[in-house]
């Protein structure tokens, strides 16, 4: 009887096991490793700042790009602008500001 109760509970929780990995951007991102998942590194560490910069660049690109309308040149310019935003975010983070 007890096993019949535990089996559905265990199976329902097993579905959440795959939810622990970083979630990529739904439409892809030109910034390798950019995810929409929370930053899991220790705040203020170089790894945290690199992830913060990557997320900032990817978010900036997502906010600017229009995949249906933008041509190759427009997407490249928006990618460059977003990369600079990520660089600025990295420097701010390493200086202790966000």
């Amino acid at each position: 009887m007890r096993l019949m109760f535990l089996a559905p509970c265990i199976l329902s929780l097993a579905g959440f096991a795959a939810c622990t990995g970083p979630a990529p951007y739904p439409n892809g991102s030109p910034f390798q490793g950019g995810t929409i998942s929370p930053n899991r590194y220790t705040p203020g560490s170089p790894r945290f700042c690199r992830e913060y910069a990557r997320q900032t660049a990817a978010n900036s690109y997502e906010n600017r790009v229009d995949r249906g309308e933008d041509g190759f040149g427009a997407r490249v310019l928006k990618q460059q602008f977003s990369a600079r935003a990520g660089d600025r975010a990295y420097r701010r983070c390493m200086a202790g500001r966000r």
Side-chain angles (χ1 to χ4, degrees):
M1 182 71 172
R2 189 176 206 180
L3 182 61
M4 291 180 67
F5 174 74
L6 288 177
C9 292
I10 292 171
L11 289 175
S12 66
L13 291 176
F16 291 111
C19 297
T20 59
Y25 280 86
N27 294 321
S29 174
F31 298 98
Q32 293 291 23
T35 67
I36 57 175
S37 299
N39 194 337
R40 62 186 181 273
Y41 300 110
T42 306
S45 69
R47 288 182 80 181
F48 178 89
C49 291
R50 282 192 301 272
E51 181 69 15
Y52 174 68
R54 190 177 304 120
Q55 288 175 329
T56 299
N59 287 339
S60 175
Y61 183 77
E62 279 297 308
N63 290 335
R64 293 176 190 289
V65 73
D66 183 353
R67 287 180 176 82
E69 296 291 325
D70 291 345
F72 176 76
R75 286 193 303 268
V76 168
L77 288 174
K78 290 174 182 180
Q79 182 178 345
Q80 290 173 348
F81 184 85
S82 298
R84 287 193 297 270
D87 290 341
R88 288 190 304 272
Y90 179 77
R91 289 193 299 275
R92 278 194 318 269
C93 183
M94 290 303 289
R97 300 174 285 131
R98 280 187 269 161

